[in-house]
Amino acid sequence: MAYFPQLRLRRLRRTESLRALVRETKVEIGDMVYPLFIVEGSSIKQEIVSMPGVFRFSPDQLPREIEEVAKLGIPAVLLFGIPEHKDEVGSAAYHPEGGIQQAIRIIKQSVPELLVVTDICLCEYTSHGHCGIIVNGYVDNDQTLPLLARTALSHAEAGADIVAPSDMMDGRVKAIREALDEGGFQHIPILAYAAKYASAFYGPFREAAESTPQFGDRRSYQMDPPNLREALREVEQDIAEGADIVMVKPALAYLDVIRRVRDTFDCPLAAYNVSGEYAMVKAAAQQGWLDEKRIVMEILTAIKRAGADIIITYHAKEAANWLKEE
Ligand code: PBG
């Protein structure tokens, strides 16, 4: 082993060409998924206050937006729905003519090659804002499963390419897999939000999706942030139930979880760079307190270096533009 003065690690850092030659991690446009919020109605394009640059779109406004996304080379979008009417059982989530179902059809008609991933959860659709059915004041796991399965099936019927359950009920991947298979959708993959933590980083999303729980919080179903070994059990369980891709969420405060999952399982791994992570960067950049481009690329690179194959990020469009400039 050579040591200083034979070894000088600065030799390979002297010029950008040298640094590029030995660079270990590269973020690519093809790794990114861009989330979109869909509202029912028409002619709506409304910016989300705590997420500058991110909008809610009505289905008719989508073609322009997704043409831009596809032109930038972003391979996939992730859809979240905000219905006009919410009820106890989240019926708008699985209505065949719901906002998301319409949006899927519109996207597949205008840009067929763009992958449409759909979030499977009830929280945006329930009057109480929880991710499942309430029985005696508690989110009931097993009664929620058929509704999640029905939602996933309705998305597949509308043309979704991948379904992504984010509810954190036990057994949802199995329930969704069975429903898809029975419905003739054996070919549709499941991206499971496998290790999803009960995180304060979802704050801006809840404003965007109007999905704040009306009582209590999500800690009886989402994971406790201090736990790492439990994340491995969640991922193992979801893979056993049939998940094709697994996810860790949020990303930045959970890079250790991403690394452990990557080292333990061979399944493709996604990480969700969530709304609060985006809002922090935007707020500081607006104040002129940090260099937005450099910060975003450093964050995305860190998520990849930790082991994620796929990054779901609200920065996708800006990052794609920056990557093109290089
Ligand atoms: C729905 C869901 C949430 C997010 C994705 N799917 C919110 C939550 O669990 O409260 C958060 C995404 C983000 O913050 O960007 N269950």
Side-chain angles (χ1 to χ4, degrees):
M1 189 80 95
Y3 289 104
F4 181 82
Q6 292 84 1
L7 177 67
R8 288 179 183 271
L9 288 164
R10 288 182 56 190
R11 276 184 206 122
L12 295 176
R13 294 180 203 142
R14 197 169 47 84
T15 66
E16 175 51 24
S17 316
L18 281 167
R19 291 190 294 271
L21 187 70
V22 298
R23 192 157 290 146
E24 299 176 31
T25 307
K26 285 185 184 124
V27 174
E28 287 166 31
I29 298 172
D31 303 328
M32 293 190 285
V33 177
Y34 187 58
L36 288 173
F37 296 97
I38 316 292
V39 281
E40 286 177 22
S42 60
S43 310
I44 303 167
K45 182 181 174 185
Q46 185 181 43
E47 193 165 26
I48 296 152
V49 178
S50 54
M51 301 176 72
V54 177
F55 297 80
R56 298 192 187 107
F57 295 95
S58 52
D60 61 313
Q61 300 296 303
L62 281 171
R64 257 179 64 194
E65 177 69 7
I66 59 144
E67 272 160 31
E68 190 190 332
V69 168
K71 228 178 176 168
L72 284 166
I74 298 167
V77 289
L78 170 60
L79 305 187
F80 294 98
I82 305 139
E84 232 161 306
H85 301 290
K86 301 180 188 239
D87 61 25
E88 289 281 301
V89 291
S91 333
Y94 34 90
H95 195 288
E97 293 306 319
I100 285 293
Q101 289 80 357
Q102 282 177 41
I104 298 167
R105 287 190 215 104
I106 289 174
I107 296 175
K108 290 316 282 187
Q109 264 164 25
S110 36
V111 188
E113 69 279 9
L114 185 72
L115 290 170
V116 175
V117 188
T118 59
D119 186 78
I120 309 294
C121 194
L122 299 182
C123 65
E124 300 100 311
Y125 302 92
T126 50
S127 42
H128 43 73
H130 277 290
C131 303
I133 297 303
I134 307 289
V135 179
N136 299 327
Y138 185 71
V139 176
D140 189 278
N141 194 87
D142 297 12
Q143 289 191 42
T144 302
L145 298 181
L147 301 183
L148 295 168
R150 201 167 150 190
T151 304
L153 185 59
S154 82
H155 292 181
E157 281 166 350
D161 296 293
I162 300 176
V163 294
S166 69
D167 52 282
M168 289 302 276
M169 299 301 121
D170 288 320
R172 79 274 166 78
V173 173
K174 180 168 184 272
I176 290 170
R177 186 70 271 157
E178 282 169 6
L180 291 176
D181 289 357
E182 273 166 35
F185 295 99
Q186 298 87 348
H187 56 288
I188 297 297
I190 298 175
L191 189 177
Y193 287 65
K196 177 176 176 180
Y197 288 88
S199 170
F201 282 102
Y202 308 149
F205 174 95
R206 293 186 189 166
E207 179 211 325
E210 296 166 3
S211 66
T212 305
Q214 298 303 302
F215 65 91
D217 53 41
R218 302 208 201 293
R219 283 184 278 192
S220 80
Y221 42 103
Q222 297 180 349
M223 283 181 59
D224 199 18
N227 293 359
L228 172 60
R229 296 190 306 260
E230 188 188 350
L232 301 178
R233 300 182 76 195
E234 279 285 359
V235 170
E236 184 179 19
Q237 176 73 25
D238 281 4
I239 294 173
E241 288 180 26
D244 301 280
I245 306 173
V246 292
M247 191 202 293
V248 171
K249 176 188 174 184
L252 261 194
Y254 298 84
L255 294 176
D256 57 328
V257 182
I258 296 173
R259 170 48 56 198
R260 274 297 287 279
V261 171
R262 164 45 66 243
D263 288 344
T264 312
F265 302 97
D266 289 328
C267 192
L269 175 59
Y272 200 141
N273 176 215
V274 300
S275 57
E277 299 171 25
Y278 177 84
M280 290 193 305
V281 170
K282 284 287 169 184
Q286 281 183 347
Q287 297 282 335
W289 290 346
L290 47 75
D291 177 335
E292 184 174 4
K293 175 179 170 180
R294 287 191 56 198
I295 285 283
V296 169
M297 295 317 294
E298 191 170 332
I299 288 172
L300 298 178
T301 303
I303 296 170
K304 270 211 95 173
R305 194 189 60 231
D309 304 301
I310 301 162
I311 306 173
I312 300 171
T313 179
Y314 304 96
H315 296 293
K317 279 166 54 179
E318 287 162 336
N321 270 316
W322 294 326
L323 287 165
K324 272 186 196 291
E325 284 165 15
E326 275 175 9

